[in-house]
Amino acid sequence: MLELILSLFITPSNAPVSNYSTVVTTLQRIQAENPTTSQMIDIGVSDSGQNIVALKIGDGETADLIVATHHGNEYGSTAVAMGAAEAFAKNPIKGHTVYVVPVLNISGFDARSRYERTSNGSLDQNRDYPGPCITGKPFKSKATKALADFIAKANIVSSATLHTHWPAVLYPWGFSTNDVSTKDDATFIQLSKDAVVESGYDVGNSKELLYAADGAFEDYAYWQHGIWSLLFEMGTTHTPSESQMKQMVEVNVPGLRRFLENAPKQRAADHAFTGKCDRNMIQRTHLE
Ligand SMILES: [Zn+2]
C-alpha cells in the first residue's frame, strides 16, 4: 500500500507525475478502506476554485493537524502526509482526532512550483500568515485563510507542518527577531526530540537552525493560539526518488505519532511574543 502511494509521485524516469486529483482519489481510497476511523472533509476552497480536502482520523477529544505542501514543489511532504493518513487511519491515536491536509498549495502542487497562483498574484503561502513582525497584509491566499479559520474552529492543540528538504525538526520562534526563546522552549525541545527518534534529524529553533522568515504557519499557530507547533523539514532533496520517499515516510510517521501522543493535551497558556522585532535582519536566500 505504501508503495502504491509513493508510486503516484514518480515515473520510471524519476519525474513526479502525481497531481492533486490523484491525491484526493488516494485519500478517498484510504477513507473507504477505513470507514470506521476516517472521514473526508473540506476545509475550504482555494483561489483555484478547488476544495482543500483533509482526512479526519479518529474521534478523540484532542484535535491535531498535519499539513503538507505549503510549498507546491515539495511533493515529498505530501507523500509523508499520505503515509501518516494511512497509518493513523489503520491505527488511530487513542484520545485524539488527527486532521491531515496533504496539499495546501493546490495550484503550486500541480505546477510543481513553490508558489501559489492567487487573485493577489503568485505568493509563498508560508509567508502569508499574520505574525508579530509582519508589516504587509496577511492572508492574500484563500487557502492560508481557510487553514487559519480551521485551526481556530477545530480547536487544534498540536500541529506538524511538513516541508522538504533539510533534515531537521524545528520549533518557534522563527521570524525576524533576535529574541527567539519562548516560555515553552523546554517542552518544544523535548517534543522535537520525540519526533526524531527514527529519523535522527537535527532539532532546534527555526531561526537558528534554518533562517528567519516572517509569516510562516508554524510561528502563527503558536503565537496566535498556543498550538504546539513543529516544522518538519524532511529528507535531503526537493525531488526525492520513490525509495527516498519511502525512507522519509518510514522515519517520520512514527515521529509524528510520538509527537502528537506526547504533546500536552491543552494549548500553551503563555504564548505571547514579548521580544523585539528586527526588520533589518538579513534573511538567507536558500529556500526550504
Ligand atoms: Zn517548504
Side-chain angles (χ1 to χ4, degrees), residues 69-74 77 114 124 126-127 161-165 210-211 231-233 238 287-288:
T69 319
H70 273 85
H71 295 139
N73 58 317
E74 297 175 3
S77 72
R114 176 182 179 91
D124 184 332
N126 214 34
R127 305 291 183 271
T161 180
L162 310 185
H163 290 254
T164 57
H165 64 331
L210 198 57
Y211 51 76
L231 165 63
F232 284 63
E233 279 286 355
H238 282 322
L287 298 172
E288 278 84 25

Side-chain angles (χ1 to χ4, degrees), residues 118-136:
T118 75
S119 56
N120 291 304
S122 179
L123 58 83
D124 184 332
Q125 285 188 342
N126 214 34
R127 305 291 183 271
D128 196 39
Y129 294 91
C133 300
I134 287 283
T135 50

Side-chain angles (χ1 to χ4, degrees), residues 24-95:
V24 174
T25 304
T26 305
L27 216 56
Q28 286 166 339
R29 184 167 50 73
I30 293 171
Q31 192 281 323
E33 290 170 0
N34 301 278
T36 60
T37 60
S38 66
Q39 183 189 348
M40 292 281 291
I41 63 167
D42 295 328
I43 67 161
V45 177
S46 69
D47 281 86
S48 58
Q50 290 159 288
N51 289 333
I52 304 163
V53 300
L55 196 65
K56 177 185 179 186
I57 304 164
D59 56 4
E61 244 178 67
T62 305
D64 308 308
L65 172 74
I66 296 172
V67 56
T69 319
H70 273 85
H71 295 139
N73 58 317
E74 297 175 3
Y75 63 87
S77 72
T78 297
V80 173
M82 299 294 277
E86 179 169 44
F88 294 1
K90 283 181 181 164
N91 181 20
I93 301 177
K94 283 191 179 57

